[in-house]
Amino acid sequence: MPKTEVKIIGFLCNWCSYAGADMAGTARMKQPASLRAVRLPCTGRVNPLLVLKAFREGADGVLVSGCHPGDCHYNEGNYYARRRLEVLERMLPALGIDPARFRYTWVSASEGAKWADVVNEFTQQVKQVI
Amino acid sequence: MSMNDLIPAIKKVLEEVDVVLGWTRSPAAGVAVPARFHTPDEADGAIFDSTCIHNLAVHLPRLKNSKVGIVAKGCDARSIVQLIVEGEVSRDRIRVIGVPCPGVIDVKRAWRCYGFGKKIEDAGGRVHMEGRSVPREEILLHKCHQCRDQEPVIVDLAAGDVTSMTPPPPPDKSGIRERFAAMSITERREFWREQFSRCIRCYACREACPLCFCRDVCSMQTREPHWTGGQVNAIESEMAQQVRISHMAGRCTGCEECERACPVGIPLMLLLEEQNKIIEELFAYRAGASLEDKPPLLTYDINRDGGWR
Ligand code: SF4
Ligand code: SF4
Ligand code: FES
């Protein structure tokens, strides 16, 4: 039986996805209340341990979102992040965590609609496996 | 190889260094134990055989102020290379003595089966323990079955022909690796919960690892950042190990020392081997394989990265 309420921790880059999420909010786009956003200066700040710790503290899903590759405010933060997050994602099955509970993605400040889609879709996905 | 090659090599290297890290025979147990040779006389006690299981590279970052010689198997040489690549050891401060490796025996497992402290003899393709014997491929360390380091990547002086044995095929297909691979994600969650409930937070895994060199600022223990508490329970201990494993990404050479050191037998290599495989698939990188490679998580490649999704 899929859970109805899930808790998702979002680690969002201040310069893009956080603003995108804000925009989706101001435009009153329909989004689930599942996401708890943590605002970070850049995805380069996302230590993979933040994700593992969120799971350990009981998060149902963890979403990391930042500027599109090439658009990082600090030029290269998300290039480093991309490598770390990919390794983390592939490690999850061995750690005994369903990889469907984790996603990293790129959403810019102007993509409010895309943001709403990402959150809706990811929330559905998490509900399926929790 | 006979000690006729090794002992003169150590003596030669002692002319330029303060100490040589190698092995001698434990009079009590008969197996190899790590030793430090400071003088030619001491070097007469040096041995190399298939019980020389230890990765002596772990001592290099702790001997920062001396010139050090080190006897190294193929896989140990990779740890040394990785330490140089990471800037922990300077190349001109060390002298590496390469040895031809026959594969090393899982001494702990042998003793668990046949009695602790039993004399181990490796001869004629079999390992003998007081009257009993098993084919040596049954008791070799897992890493030796898939050894890709027959020739050390870094050698200053070779004790004999340093090309090692061709690895024999792994014997049993019903080991822990196969069982783990067959588990569902939920079963793995249970598995790790159970495994880490036995962890006593001794940090032997970290101390045995040549590439765990943060010493007193290790995040498995620090209050700030507070990744994990000091309580000894499955949840905190698993988090502590996740800290270590994530810090090993792109750094672990697969030497198996953490697992060997663990007093409660947690199969840590299941996680490290998986991570090493992922790193190699994504970045074509094997830690310690070359002095020129840049550790994959300290760099990026705009053109290729992301193509893996
Ligand atoms: S992995 Fe290779 S070099 Fe290392 S101990 Fe085994 S056989 Fe020797
Ligand atoms: S060596 Fe084993 S028991 Fe000790 S801290 Fe590491 S995992 Fe825990
Ligand atoms: S500033 Fe947004 S990912 Fe770096």
Side-chain angles (χ1 to χ4, degrees):
Chain A
M1 251 272 282
K3 255 202 194 177
T4 42
E5 276 313 314
V6 290
K7 219 178 261 178
I8 292 172
I9 305 298
F11 293 108
L12 313 186
C13 160
N14 171 52
W15 301 101
C16 46
S17 299
Y18 192 83
D22 207 29
M23 185 185 176
T26 354
R28 302 201 177 277
M29 289 172 192
K30 208 167 149 31
Q31 302 181 55
S34 54
L35 192 89
R36 313 285 194 278
V38 180
R39 180 175 171 187
L40 297 173
C42 174
T43 52
R45 171 63 180 85
V46 183
N47 183 332
L49 290 172
L50 287 173
V51 177
L52 293 173
K53 180 124 174 165
F55 280 127
R56 176 218 125 134
E57 299 291 334
D60 296 309
V62 180
L63 177 64
V64 177
S65 188
C67 312
H68 287 273
D71 289 346
C72 174
H73 191 74
Y74 307 99
N75 299 330
E76 49 179 19
N78 54 7
Y79 289 140
Y80 288 108
R82 180 159 66 172
R83 287 193 158 202
R84 292 182 202 136
L85 295 170
E86 185 67 23
V87 172
L88 172 71
E89 185 175 302
R90 292 180 186 220
M91 268 306 277
L92 293 177
L95 294 168
I97 300 170
D98 197 317
R101 293 167 63 197
F102 172 70
R103 184 180 293 183
Y104 70 96
T105 182
W106 322 114
V107 174
S108 80
S110 60
E111 295 176 314
K114 177 172 174 195
W115 177 255
D117 287 348
V118 165
V119 179
N120 281 316
E121 202 195 290
F122 184 59
T123 303
Q124 284 315 315
Q125 178 177 319
V126 172
K127 279 185 182 165
Q128 293 307 315
V129 297
I130 276 300
Chain B
M1 181 196 66
S2 69
M3 302 318 143
N4 302 344
D5 293 318
L6 180 64
I7 293 168
I10 295 179
K11 290 185 177 170
K12 181 135 201 325
V13 166
L14 267 177
E15 290 167 14
E16 354 163 29
V17 302
D18 307 318
V19 58
V20 173
L21 306 173
W23 289 271
T24 192
R25 197 169 308 286
S26 150
V31 293
V33 283
R36 293 185 182 193
F37 307 113
H38 301 87
T39 62
D41 279 355
E42 288 175 1
D44 282 328
I47 61 154
F48 183 77
D49 67 17
S50 54
T51 61
C52 292
I53 192 166
H54 327 78
N55 185 347
L56 303 175
V58 70
H59 299 288
L60 292 177
R62 300 171 206 203
L63 289 166
K64 273 214 161 88
N65 301 319
S66 341
K67 282 203 96 182
V68 184
I70 177 167
V71 184
K73 309 184 284 291
C75 51
D76 304 340
R78 274 177 58 214
S79 303
I80 300 172
V81 168
Q82 191 66 17
L83 284 167
I84 296 171
V85 167
E86 305 248 359
E88 274 302 302
V89 165
S90 66
R91 176 70 186 93
D92 51 20
R93 198 172 58 72
I94 55 161
R95 290 290 172 272
V96 181
I97 302 169
V99 282
C101 178
V104 291
I105 289 166
D106 191 339
V107 173
K108 219 158 67 167
R109 186 152 69 93
W111 280 350
R112 208 175 289 131
C113 301
Y114 299 98
F116 276 86
K118 287 266 156 70
K119 196 170 174 327
I120 295 178
E121 219 176 317
D122 181 2
R126 293 183 78 82
V127 175
H128 307 267
M129 275 157 290
E130 291 189 2
R132 305 203 235 175
S133 80
V134 287
R136 68 192 304 276
E137 55 267 25
E138 270 175 34
I139 203 98
L140 284 184
L141 268 203
H142 178 77
K143 66 173 172 183
C144 302
H145 287 291
Q146 42 193 24
C147 178
R148 289 152 75 187
D149 307 310
Q150 278 100 338
E151 269 182 75
V153 248
I154 185 174
V155 188
D156 294 304
L157 196 72
D161 164 16
V162 293
T163 314
S164 300
M165 61 133 197
T166 320
D172 76 296
K173 280 275 159 217
S174 56
I176 188 148
R177 286 174 178 78
E178 288 74 22
R179 272 188 284 128
F180 183 74
M183 284 180 205
S184 71
I185 288 173
T186 326
E187 286 166 341
R188 287 184 190 161
R189 185 92 303 281
E190 292 297 305
F191 176 79
W192 289 124
R193 217 12 86 72
E194 190 279 317
Q195 293 292 334
F196 285 110
S197 70
R198 294 184 293 115
C199 173
I200 55 171
R201 296 297 281 276
C202 64
Y203 304 111
C205 43
R206 174 189 74 194
E207 296 305 311
C209 176
L211 274 305
C212 277
F213 43 66
C214 299
R215 303 290 161 250
D216 50 351
V217 291
C218 171
S219 318
M220 290 172 89
Q221 262 178 315
T222 49
R223 297 253 140 204
E224 190 57 52
H226 195 67
W227 289 113
T228 168
Q231 303 93 307
V232 181
N233 63 45
I235 296 173
E236 299 297 341
S237 303
E238 182 178 21
M239 187 69 211
Q241 201 54 233
Q242 286 176 350
V243 170
R244 198 180 75 83
I245 283 160
S246 86
H247 289 178
M248 280 298 120
R251 187 169 270 156
C252 171
T253 61
C255 77
E256 296 186 21
E257 285 291 79
C258 53
E259 190 174 290
R260 190 175 67 82
C262 180
V264 297
I266 299 178
L268 301 167
M269 288 310 293
L270 290 176
L271 294 171
L272 290 155
E273 281 166 11
E274 178 67 13
Q275 184 164 261
N276 291 348
K277 197 181 101 214
I278 292 168
I279 299 269
E280 192 168 357
E281 276 165 12
L282 287 173
F283 314 120
Y285 181 89
R286 281 182 83 219
S290 123
L291 280 165
E292 271 75 53
D293 292 352
K294 188 138 197 221
L297 297 180
L298 300 183
T299 184
Y300 56 84
D301 179 341
I302 300 177
N303 299 321
R304 292 190 47 235
D305 290 359
W308 54 63
R309 280 245 239 176

